[in-house]
Amino acid sequence: MNTFLEEIETLNSSSGSQKLQTNALEHEAIYIFREVAAQFEKPVLLFSGGKDSITLVRLAQKAFWPAKIPFPLMHIDTGHNFPETIEFRDRLVEALGVELIIRNVQDSIDQGKVKEESGRYSSRNSLQTTTLLDAIEEFKFDACIGGARRDEEKARAKERIFSVRDDFGQWDERNQRPELFDMLNGQIELGQNVRVFPISNWTELDVWSYIQQEQIEIPSIYFAHKRKTFLRDGMIWSADDNIVFREEDELVEERMVRFRTVGDMSCTAAVLSNAISIDKVVSEIRDSSISERGARIDDKRSEAAMEKRKQQGYF
């Protein structure tokens, strides 16, 4: 990983309209991080090992440099994560010297709080909600920082940067505060907590351009690689493991693919790609007409799938 001074030199040597855009977004995100530290007593950064949460970590480093990030990272582990993501998570946390809290969906299943899904479209993705809410209550977190962006999905486009949840962790899309950027309102009532989205105004291309500009290391799964896969519903699924449900007649073939998002393996499909470097990924994203969440089957369960999960306490 680059030192801070090396990052600044890289930043100053770059040019172009995308650089100016990412600089403005970086300044906005750093301001949000500092407001979180100023207004809340016990924040936490929700970390999945994906590109958005990795970007958040870099922004938090810059916001509080030369001190360490002043709050822990927390991963709600479904148990169905890509191995490349978990390996990267552990390596990054060790390098940063920050606290990592892990809470497991399997524990919620074992405790009878949630029921494991089965069948063709089974996934643990929605089961994370219970594990997350239990962890918030356990540690009394009053602000959970995450990498959701408004461009991902229409329910997320309704979010505020400081998005209040009630004492059941629920989100009311009809009761959102007015929010001018320079007036972030962190006042909450007893039992409430806030979900904070520092990169809410970023796009997928903005994130990738920032990763490119900052030369940030990311998990190898984001780059094109040969993988055993099968097709279902026009999507490409990993067959390298025993997680993704596969019918006997669904043919396994080796394809050159990469993943644009790295959520739960059971609901995250790959895309055909030859992008083996950051530069090629950025070029590919720039030319793409399909959202990255087009490869997430959990968003396709219903027209309002994401909104319903958020109302129940999903991040």
Side-chain angles (χ1 to χ4, degrees):
M1 298 178 64
N2 293 341
T3 67
F4 183 73
L5 291 178
E6 288 172 338
E7 292 158 14
I8 296 299
E9 289 175 3
T10 300
L11 197 65
N12 291 337
S13 66
S14 304
S15 60
S17 60
Q18 189 64 49
K19 172 183 175 290
L20 294 175
Q21 169 72 0
T22 53
N23 280 358
L25 291 170
E26 179 190 66
H27 296 160
E28 176 184 88
I30 287 174
Y31 170 80
I32 293 167
F33 268 111
R34 290 172 177 168
E35 284 295 300
V36 170
Q39 295 193 45
F40 296 97
E41 293 184 6
K42 201 165 185 184
V44 65
L45 194 157
L46 299 183
F47 187 78
S48 67
K51 68 183 186 309
D52 296 314
S53 58
I54 293 168
T55 297
L56 287 181
V57 168
R58 174 56 59 88
L59 291 164
Q61 284 182 286
K62 289 196 170 188
F64 303 109
W65 181 270
K68 287 186 178 181
I69 297 172
F71 37 74
L73 276 55
M74 182 166 72
H75 184 203
I76 303 301
D77 191 343
T78 66
H80 290 173
N81 296 282
F82 291 97
E84 296 95 329
T85 307
I86 298 300
E87 184 274 333
F88 180 88
R89 177 201 70 186
D90 294 342
R91 224 168 12 91
L92 178 64
V93 167
E94 183 178 0
L96 293 174
V98 297
E99 178 186 2
L100 173 66
I101 298 168
I102 301 173
R103 288 297 178 267
N104 298 289
V105 170
Q106 184 63 54
D107 291 338
S108 299
I109 296 171
D110 293 343
Q111 294 163 8
K113 294 181 177 180
V114 293
K115 185 178 180 180
E116 182 90 80
E117 297 180 357
S118 60
R120 187 179 180 89
Y121 297 110
S122 60
S123 171
R124 287 187 174 182
N125 200 48
S126 63
L127 305 186
Q128 295 178 82
T129 298
T130 297
T131 313
L132 171 62
L133 295 179
D134 284 349
I136 292 172
E137 176 62 25
E138 176 186 355
F139 293 97
K140 306 301 180 186
F141 292 127
D142 54 1
C144 299
I145 306 162
R149 308 187 320 270
R150 289 183 176 133
D151 76 317
E152 291 181 275
E153 205 275 341
K154 59 185 179 182
R156 286 183 167 171
K158 300 177 183 179
E159 290 276 17
R160 300 295 187 261
I161 290 172
F162 279 13
S163 183
V164 179
R165 302 297 199 269
D166 65 19
D167 52 0
F168 296 103
Q170 296 174 324
W171 173 69
D172 184 356
E173 78 281 4
R174 294 167 295 183
N175 189 27
Q176 293 283 295
R177 300 170 172 178
E179 185 175 73
L180 300 175
F181 170 67
D182 59 352
M183 295 179 64
L184 296 174
N185 184 355
Q187 294 185 358
I188 54 176
E189 298 178 5
L190 184 65
Q192 291 182 327
N193 63 81
V194 170
R195 311 294 170 84
V196 181
F197 306 111
I199 60 171
S200 183
N201 292 326
W202 298 42
T203 65
E204 183 187 11
L205 180 58
D206 290 329
V207 172
W208 277 109
S209 296
Y210 191 70
I211 290 170
Q212 179 186 40
Q213 174 179 289
E214 294 288 302
Q215 299 180 32
I216 300 172
E217 184 184 359
I218 56 174
S220 60
I221 200 166
Y222 279 113
F223 301 109
H225 57 283
K226 289 183 179 179
R227 196 178 194 89
K228 292 180 181 178
T229 60
F230 65 95
L231 299 179
R232 179 194 297 151
D233 300 330
M235 304 175 81
I236 304 170
W237 299 95
S238 175
D240 272 350
D241 50 73
N242 296 317
I243 300 300
V244 183
F245 179 88
R246 182 170 60 86
E247 302 282 5
E248 290 184 4
D249 60 349
E250 290 177 321
L251 182 64
V252 174
E253 296 182 4
E254 190 173 75
R255 295 178 173 87
M256 192 74 167
V257 300
R258 72 177 191 87
F259 290 84
R260 288 176 67 179
T261 177
V262 292
D264 189 282
M265 295 174 70
S266 59
C267 63
T268 306
V271 295
L272 293 174
S273 176
N274 290 309
I276 58 174
S277 67
I278 291 286
D279 292 346
K280 291 183 178 179
V281 168
V282 170
S283 178
E284 184 178 273
I285 295 301
R286 186 173 282 115
D287 295 337
S288 177
S289 60
I290 300 173
S291 165
E292 65 188 296
R293 293 195 73 90
R296 292 290 291 272
I297 197 68
D298 52 323
D299 289 345
K300 301 177 186 298
R301 294 189 176 197
S302 75
E303 191 67 22
M306 172 66 81
E307 187 157 319
K308 289 179 179 178
R309 293 203 304 278
K310 287 167 66 63
Q311 291 168 348
Q312 294 165 357
Y314 183 81
F315 189 74

